[in-house]
Amino acid sequence: MTKDQKVVAIQEIKDLLQDAKVVYVADLEGLNAGKSSDFRRQAFKQNIKVKVVKNTLLQKAMEQIEGVDYSEMFPSFKGNSALMIAETANAPAKLIQGFRKKEEKPALKSAFVQETFYVGDNNLDMLANIKSREEMIGEIIGLLQSPIQRVVSALQNKPETVEAKAEEAAPAVEETPAAEAPEASAESTEETSAE
């Protein structure tokens, strides 16, 4: 690889990492071309970017990223490395887990998720169980909606009971004026006859 090609490769990696919140580095070594294609296809479906990279170029690109010190991940950069970038925190871990049901690889080397570093394949289960931002928001909304739904339900049922009480009370109200009417007419006849 020429110096110019290395500069271009480092820039491509930097572009991927620039605003990334979820960064995984995995070992895909040992996957044949068909299995590797299948892994990439599944990653694409889940909106995970996968790029096989040289360790030295990945480290140089990470060193040039401002705002995040990736140095904790550097010791894991040995052998074959695939960079995985995602929006959802647990998506790459779940993809690796799902793929490992049939295969020995891919293996997790390291990850940067929710501003925390995870180094080693032993962290895979923990990463797979991290709730994504969307899942957490969904749970919070569910918790907030529960009391609101009870209030709305009570309010929806309340008008029915008020209307039912109004209907029961309505005939009594109608009867009262009718009962007063004969007395009023009797009084008026008494007044006319008294004159």
Side-chain angles (χ1 to χ4, degrees):
M1 185 177 263
T2 67
K3 187 174 182 179
D4 291 339
Q5 289 173 323
K6 288 179 182 178
V7 169
V8 169
I10 290 170
Q11 187 58 48
E12 286 176 2
I13 297 168
K14 279 175 56 179
D15 290 344
L16 281 172
L17 291 170
Q18 195 57 54
D19 296 318
K21 303 283 186 244
V22 178
V23 178
Y24 282 65
V25 179
D27 178 6
L28 300 180
E29 193 174 355
L31 294 179
N32 64 28
K35 291 174 183 172
S36 182
S37 298
D38 186 34
F39 183 79
R40 288 173 183 269
R41 200 174 304 112
Q42 288 181 34
F44 180 77
K45 286 179 186 175
Q46 295 178 36
N47 202 22
I48 302 169
K49 296 173 186 168
V50 177
K51 181 171 183 65
V52 175
V53 294
K54 289 190 176 238
N55 293 320
T56 53
L57 300 180
L58 176 59
Q59 184 170 333
K60 285 182 182 181
M62 286 182 158
E63 287 170 347
Q64 295 176 19
I65 297 293
E66 293 180 21
V68 181
D69 179 12
Y70 288 104
S71 60
E72 286 186 50
M73 297 173 78
F74 297 164
S76 70
F77 296 172
K78 293 178 177 71
N80 187 330
S81 293
L83 180 64
M84 301 172 73
I85 308 290
E87 293 293 320
T88 307
N90 61 3
K94 285 184 175 183
L95 174 64
I96 292 170
Q97 261 188 342
F99 212 79
R100 291 236 313 247
K101 288 178 182 175
K102 300 175 200 166
E103 303 297 325
E104 200 173 303
K105 299 279 179 153
L108 176 68
K109 289 184 173 188
S110 54
F112 174 70
V113 179
Q114 297 174 348
E115 300 182 16
T116 305
F117 290 97
Y118 301 87
V119 179
D121 194 58
N122 56 326
N123 290 303
L124 188 62
D125 289 336
M126 184 186 334
L127 287 165
N129 291 323
I130 288 177
K131 294 194 184 293
S132 69
R133 182 174 180 262
E134 292 77 18
E135 291 170 329
M136 289 173 67
I137 289 171
E139 284 184 9
I140 291 169
I141 289 172
L143 290 171
L144 292 173
Q145 281 181 338
S146 180
I148 293 170
Q149 286 173 339
R150 286 189 214 128
V151 170
V152 169
S153 176
L155 290 174
Q156 286 175 340
N157 290 335
K158 189 168 184 152
E160 292 172 7
T161 56
V162 170
E163 288 172 11
K165 288 179 181 173
E167 287 175 8
E168 290 173 10
V173 172
E174 290 174 7
E175 290 173 12
T176 309
E180 291 176 4
E183 290 174 13
S185 60
E187 288 174 13
S188 63
T189 24
E190 287 175 16
E191 288 175 13
T192 49
S193 59
E195 292 174 3

